[in-house]
Amino acid sequence: MSYEPPTPPANLPTEIVNTLNESDPEQLRDVATYAEALAEHKERKTRLEEESDDADIEDRPDDLPDDVPTKATITIKEINDNRYYYWQWREVDKIKSKYKGPVNPDE
């Protein structure tokens, strides 16, 4: 009586299949436990990020332009002795800014 090994999923990279085929049963069980825990972690992280994005939309200030992220803060820049408000935020390793309006001297 011969026993055929299971067929791996078609979308699993060959390197992973080869590594699994070379592993002993204890390692395979450890990989299965880790893979399941990692999948749950990534699903939970994605779900929390989506919930956070939804919360950001609800808390969006009325005067925040659509192309400015909710994490932006307001800064004041002085140009030629005039003061202006700018929305400012970080995108990866760059600081982005968008003009908001002049600073009211009465404030």
Side-chain angles (χ1 to χ4, degrees), residues 9-41:
N11 65 342
L12 205 56
T14 304
E15 308 85 51
I16 293 175
V17 172
N18 291 341
T19 300
L20 293 174
N21 285 334
E22 295 168 1
S23 301
D24 64 45
E26 184 179 346
Q27 289 173 322
L28 290 171
R29 286 188 178 84
D30 289 343
V31 167
T33 301
Y34 172 71
E36 186 61 36
L38 184 59
E40 288 176 10
H41 168 76

Side-chain angles (χ1 to χ4, degrees), residues 6-86:
T7 303
N11 65 342
L12 205 56
T14 304
E15 308 85 51
I16 293 175
V17 172
N18 291 341
T19 300
L20 293 174
N21 285 334
E22 295 168 1
S23 301
D24 64 45
E26 184 179 346
Q27 289 173 322
L28 290 171
R29 286 188 178 84
D30 289 343
V31 167
T33 301
Y34 172 71
E36 186 61 36
L38 184 59
E40 288 176 10
H41 168 76
K42 289 187 173 197
E43 288 169 345
R44 181 173 43 251
K45 183 178 176 185
T46 300
R47 190 172 53 252
L48 289 173
E49 287 171 353
E50 288 170 356
E51 289 172 3
S52 175
D53 290 345
D54 292 345
D56 288 346
I57 290 170
E58 293 170 11
D59 296 340
R60 190 172 185 85
D62 293 338
D63 61 343
L64 187 63
D66 290 338
D67 59 343
V68 174
T70 56
K71 63 184 177 184
T73 58
I74 295 177
T75 60
I76 297 175
K77 293 184 181 184
E78 189 165 327
I79 303 170
N80 297 329
D81 295 326
N82 295 305
R83 297 176 64 197
Y84 302 95
Y85 287 119
Y86 281 82

